[in-house]
Amino acid sequence: MDFTFTEEQQAAVEAARAVFSGVAPDRVPSPALTPGAIADDFDRTLWHKLAEADLLSLPIAPEHGGAGLDPIALCLVLRESAKVLARVPLLEAGAAALTLQRYAADELCAEVLPRIGAGDLVVTVAAHGRTGHEPADLAVEAHQEGAEWVLDGIQTAVPWARTTDRALLPAHTPEGHAVLALVPRTHPGVTLDDQVSTSGEPLAEVRLDSVRISAREVVTDPAAWDSLRHVLTTGTCALALGLGERVLAMTSDYTSKREQFGFPVATFQAVACQAADRFIDLRAMEATLWQAAWRITTEAAGPLPIAGDVAVAKIWASEGVRRVVQTAQHLHGGFGADTDYPLHRYHAWAKQLELSLGPAAAHEESLGELLAAHPLG
């Protein structure tokens, strides 16, 4: 397995590190101390910096003003963003851009992709369905009436739905086919009810009551929803990896300075073994992440469909990031619970990422179904 990244991908990482170097996680309001959402909006200042650095347009084709890079590049940037708990809809906007570019009509692509890349049009994605425990495309019904589509249903836990411009959401037709609709936030028939994530970020339940949108704003390719879900899930794994790497680095720094009986606690065997186990978790998270991202990018054949590699990556990401932050809290002792120290913020983010788009158990079930349908030789 070759983990060498291209020069363009490495350049994207360097640009991301330069932008994110100015973000201080301990300046973000604490979800443990803030009733309700920690802020009304995402970090607009950081969003404009990402746009100026051409990082929002990375996955967008050159004809629409982008760099034309792949999901691997997006995951590399997401990995860096999670290290500083960047409060921006980078995953949602990037996944939406990749999906629209591949499956939407040329007219819609020409209209929205340049604006997404410039940061002028912010798109989020609804991917959790009505309850978070069912296929998201079954939560909304869609049927066509002439040149319009009519949408009815509910999507829950939509990130930053009150402050983004449009939401790309899945729905199902009477025939049972999945479609994607790009719905403006202020469109007639759209109602938003406030929700709050485990990490303290604002979410919303999006209700659609006979919402009518033009046919050109609906993506009808049957592969579009699966593709979007794969990118979102793999991107979540990239966020979990970046967060876990930063937390383990914080733990290493703390235990190398904290002394007991005249020695750094990092030299104690019990501490070193726990840290080593978490390092192994991160390497497994990394290997499975890039395998999934590579399959999505190349669509290479494998013993299982792409969904199998995505499921394996999410299993490792969910379990691994949970173990990393739990061990970090343990090895930090009481200092880890100090709200003046950013570790508790990382813990809250880790729990959100662990459960987002399905916990490990849900993906283990999906993997089992794939193995039953595609027995390995």
Side-chain angles (χ1 to χ4, degrees):
M1 191 176 294
D2 185 3
F3 286 111
T4 303
F5 298 108
T6 66
E7 292 183 4
E8 292 82 2
Q9 291 165 345
Q10 293 173 354
V13 173
E14 293 174 2
R17 287 175 178 169
V19 173
F20 293 131
S21 65
V23 180
D26 55 357
R27 294 179 186 173
V28 178
S30 168
L33 302 176
T34 308
I38 60 174
D40 294 330
D41 196 4
F42 59 87
D43 190 338
R44 293 278 178 174
T45 301
L46 178 58
W47 190 251
H48 293 315
K49 290 180 179 179
L50 290 169
E52 291 171 357
D54 295 327
L55 290 170
L56 299 183
S57 60
L58 278 182
I60 296 174
E63 59 263 31
H64 298 301
L69 297 188
D70 51 32
I72 294 176
L74 175 62
C75 286
L76 284 166
V77 176
L78 289 169
R79 180 185 187 178
E80 297 303 316
S81 74
K83 294 178 182 179
V84 297
L85 305 184
R87 300 184 56 258
V88 287
L90 187 58
L91 170 59
E92 293 79 14
L98 282 167
T99 304
L100 292 171
Q101 179 171 261
R102 182 172 182 182
Y103 297 104
D106 292 342
E107 181 184 0
L108 182 60
C109 289
E111 175 189 340
V112 302
L113 290 179
R115 296 181 62 203
I116 292 175
D120 298 330
L121 180 71
V122 187
V123 178
T124 189
V125 177
H128 294 98
R130 186 177 61 85
T131 65
H133 301 287
E134 61 185 3
D137 57 306
L138 300 183
V140 176
E141 298 177 356
H143 66 274
Q144 194 166 10
E145 293 184 1
E148 293 182 323
W149 282 80
V150 183
L151 308 174
D152 288 279
I154 297 174
Q155 290 283 352
T156 194
V158 182
W160 291 293
R162 282 200 178 278
T163 53
T164 51
D165 301 301
R166 298 192 187 188
L168 186 63
L169 56 89
H172 68 280
T173 67
E175 297 76 26
H177 302 308
V179 299
L180 294 174
L182 189 60
V183 181
R185 169 173 51 88
T186 58
H187 204 71
V190 176
T191 305
L192 305 178
D193 293 326
D194 290 337
Q195 296 176 319
V196 181
S197 71
T198 301
S199 57
E201 299 299 338
L203 308 174
E205 180 183 78
V206 178
R207 295 176 176 268
L208 303 108
D209 184 12
S210 298
V211 173
R212 293 179 174 269
I213 60 175
S214 64
R216 70 184 185 86
E217 295 173 304
V218 177
V219 180
T220 58
D221 192 305
W225 166 232
D226 283 341
S227 177
L228 174 60
R229 187 173 65 245
H230 290 160
V231 174
L232 286 171
T233 306
T234 306
T236 302
C237 297
L239 292 171
L241 175 62
L243 185 148
E245 289 175 329
R246 178 57 183 147
V247 166
L248 188 61
M250 292 168 62
T251 305
S252 175
D253 181 67
Y254 176 78
T255 55
S256 65
K257 296 176 181 177
R258 175 76 166 89
E259 292 188 359
Q260 285 185 351
F261 312 111
F263 297 94
V265 297
T267 62
F268 298 167
Q269 187 177 36
V271 173
C273 286
Q274 290 183 70
D277 285 341
R278 301 295 77 82
F279 178 81
I280 293 171
D281 277 334
L282 290 174
R283 298 289 69 79
M285 291 165 65
E286 183 176 25
T288 54
L289 161 66
W290 297 130
Q291 170 70 10
W294 174 74
R295 286 289 306 277
I296 290 172
T297 298
T298 63
E299 296 187 336
L304 290 177
I306 293 173
D309 290 290
V310 174
V312 170
K314 189 56 167 69
I315 291 167
W316 271 106
S318 293
E319 295 286 352
V321 77
R322 175 177 53 79
R323 288 192 290 259
V324 167
V325 294
Q326 287 178 343
T327 297
Q329 290 282 11
H330 176 63
L331 296 183
H332 274 82
F335 193 59
D338 188 343
T339 55
D340 290 330
Y341 187 66
L343 182 58
H344 74 286
R345 293 181 176 83
Y346 284 92
H347 201 149
W349 273 58
K351 180 56 66 176
Q352 178 71 25
L353 293 172
E354 176 192 349
L355 302 178
S356 182
L357 297 170
H363 289 276
E364 288 167 353
E365 182 178 355
S366 298
L367 182 60
E369 293 173 351
L370 286 170
L371 288 168
H374 304 272
L376 301 180

